[in-house]
Amino acid sequence: MKFRFFKSNKRVYLNKYFFICLTVLLLFLVYAGNYTLNNDTWFLINHGRYVFNHGIPKIEPFTLHNGFSFVMQQWLSALIFYLFYRFFGIKSLLLLCVLINYVFFFIFYKVCMCLSNNNYKISFIVSIFVDFLLLSLNFMVLRPQIFTFCLVMLLIFCLEKYIRENNIKYLLLLPVISFLQINLHASMWWMLYVFMLPYLLDGFNFKKIKAEHYRKIPIVITMIVMFLTALINPYGIEAIKYFINSYGVKEINGLVLEMKPFSFKMMSGKFIFAFMMIIFICYIFSNKDRLRVRYLLFLFGPLYLGFSSVKGLSYFFILSIFPLAFFYKDKFRIVKFKEVYSSKIKIIFSLVVVTFIILFSVLYKTNGLNYTNKMSKAVDFLLDNYDKNKMKLYVGYDQGGYFEYRGLKPYIDPRAEVFLKANNKKEDIFKEYYDLLFGLLLDKDDLDKFLEKYNFTHLVVVDSERLYNRINENGKYEVVFKGKTNEGMGYKIYVRKDLKKEDVNK
């Protein structure tokens, strides 16, 4: 059984060099310009470090809350990130992003080649377009979603090959994809089923849309096996339920940036809408004989995701664009390379690779890549002056992940779902934080109750929080440090006045 990604004839072999040359250039131009570690990277590295040293946790070990039931829904992704960080240094995370993006590009390209009858020109144009959008909109960052993008496209590749060749061998890979998805990024596991539904609905007769009749039963059986292989994870059914417990929460949708809809007021929102219109125009002017129910579902289904949240935009672009390779497969004439150009292509490819390596090496040794955190000075101050084992620390949602990475235990961090009662089985901390952040708990009595409940020894508060100037009203805390981040965000460190001397590092 072979999944043939490259054919053995000379023409396709030469096209491979052409493809790799341009891809390497694309990756270099996009990544080398400006690379900053995503805010979530810090808690992901911390998760991976914990798994490497202690195994997979069932009780949440990183915050000041005790006894929270815990599903580390991206444990395998975090472990991979940490292993790169541990053995190759933090700057190797840039290379990891490049490599995974290349894998995604490669799989997407092969899907387009499958749909276009090996028209490498239209396949490459469509693939470049998608990758450009994902990179420009900051979706290709060091987060578990980059693995999900690859697995979703591999799922599509197998299903499209199954339809075209009527061979169930391509379905045998889907349970493996399910197993990888549940361990790499459990919160998105159900989306595999969502993206398979168009293949179950397609094939039925719809007016004016050509039907492709293929066997649905093997797909249904495969979906059942996929569910069984998904149970092979450290948390069993709880990992599968994670999505159900975590989505549709109004506090998360109101606070977490990626869960909010994109804004038409911003220039980026106008560009996003313009790209959506381009995609719709391409569908309208496509060959009507090539419209398929599944492709229309991939257009309109993810469109809802795209308008409802920034996160959903990535899946809209991925799933709505690859059918263009099928619609326009005859629009670009395939020109075969003559064999006399073989040596020239290899020379060009070698020069591109050497240039990329040299420039990457120069960037690697400079400060052109941003690997620091905006709160590093605050953490340095706390660790230099106080005993971290005796701290009860308040830190807000956006900052908590970096404090955990440095070995401190904050009140909250960017893992919103962990602080829902449906997941931790004890208390809805995220709602409490949401009410605190938006002023619902900031009359003096409520503020005093909140501070008394946790008896914080230290609070690190940024100027965007309403707590920033209100803690003084309590009278039990004093400011010991003020700072600003590189972006100009101010913050204060409050310490409880009755802190015992033994809690201070001297």
Side-chain angles (χ1 to χ4, degrees), residues 155-169:
L155 177 91
I156 299 296
F157 175 80
C158 291
L159 289 170
E160 291 290 342
K161 293 291 283 187
Y162 165 71
I163 291 172
R164 278 160 175 73
E165 299 184 15
N166 195 28
N167 193 331
I168 62 172
K169 74 177 183 180

Side-chain angles (χ1 to χ4, degrees), residues 6-17 113:
F6 285 122
K7 296 182 180 180
S8 59
N9 63 74
K10 192 68 173 178
R11 181 179 63 79
V12 177
Y13 179 73
L14 292 177
N15 290 344
K16 180 177 66 172
Y17 281 99
M113 288 286 280

Side-chain angles (χ1 to χ4, degrees), residues 50-200:
Y50 188 93
V51 171
F52 185 81
N53 292 323
H54 306 289
I56 299 171
K58 302 293 178 68
I59 301 297
E60 201 283 322
F62 305 116
T63 63
L64 58 79
H65 308 287
N66 294 318
F68 277 8
S69 181
F70 182 47
V71 174
M72 188 182 284
Q73 58 102 5
Q74 68 288 77
W75 73 269
L76 185 55
S77 296
L79 181 60
I80 293 170
F81 297 156
Y82 174 69
L83 291 175
F84 264 76
Y85 163 75
R86 175 183 173 87
F87 293 107
F88 305 109
I90 196 166
K91 292 184 178 182
S92 69
L93 297 178
L94 167 60
L95 180 59
L96 180 59
C97 265
V98 172
L99 292 174
I100 297 174
N101 183 73
Y102 180 83
V103 171
F104 167 78
F105 190 106
F106 175 72
I107 299 173
F108 195 95
Y109 173 81
K110 296 308 298 182
V111 171
C112 294
M113 288 286 280
C114 174
L115 269 61
S116 65
N117 293 336
N118 292 322
N119 184 333
Y120 73 89
K121 284 192 173 183
I122 186 62
S123 299
F124 191 78
I125 291 171
V126 172
S127 302
I128 284 285
F129 183 50
V130 169
D131 211 30
F132 169 78
L133 288 173
L134 295 180
L135 292 169
S136 300
L137 295 174
N138 252 358
F139 289 119
M140 281 295 180
V141 291
L142 200 73
R143 297 179 63 180
Q145 67 191 33
I146 57 180
F147 293 113
T148 299
F149 294 159
C150 295
L151 292 174
V152 166
M153 289 316 302
L154 191 56
L155 177 91
I156 299 296
F157 175 80
C158 291
L159 289 170
E160 291 290 342
K161 293 291 283 187
Y162 165 71
I163 291 172
R164 278 160 175 73
E165 299 184 15
N166 195 28
N167 193 331
I168 62 172
K169 74 177 183 180
Y170 293 104
L171 299 181
L172 298 179
L173 189 58
L174 300 192
V176 179
I177 293 173
S178 175
F179 167 76
L180 291 173
Q181 183 64 48
I182 199 70
N183 288 284
L184 287 165
H185 195 191
S187 65
M188 295 303 295
W189 176 80
W190 279 104
M191 300 308 289
L192 296 180
Y193 280 79
V194 172
F195 299 149
M196 290 181 73
L197 285 178
Y199 290 92
L200 290 178

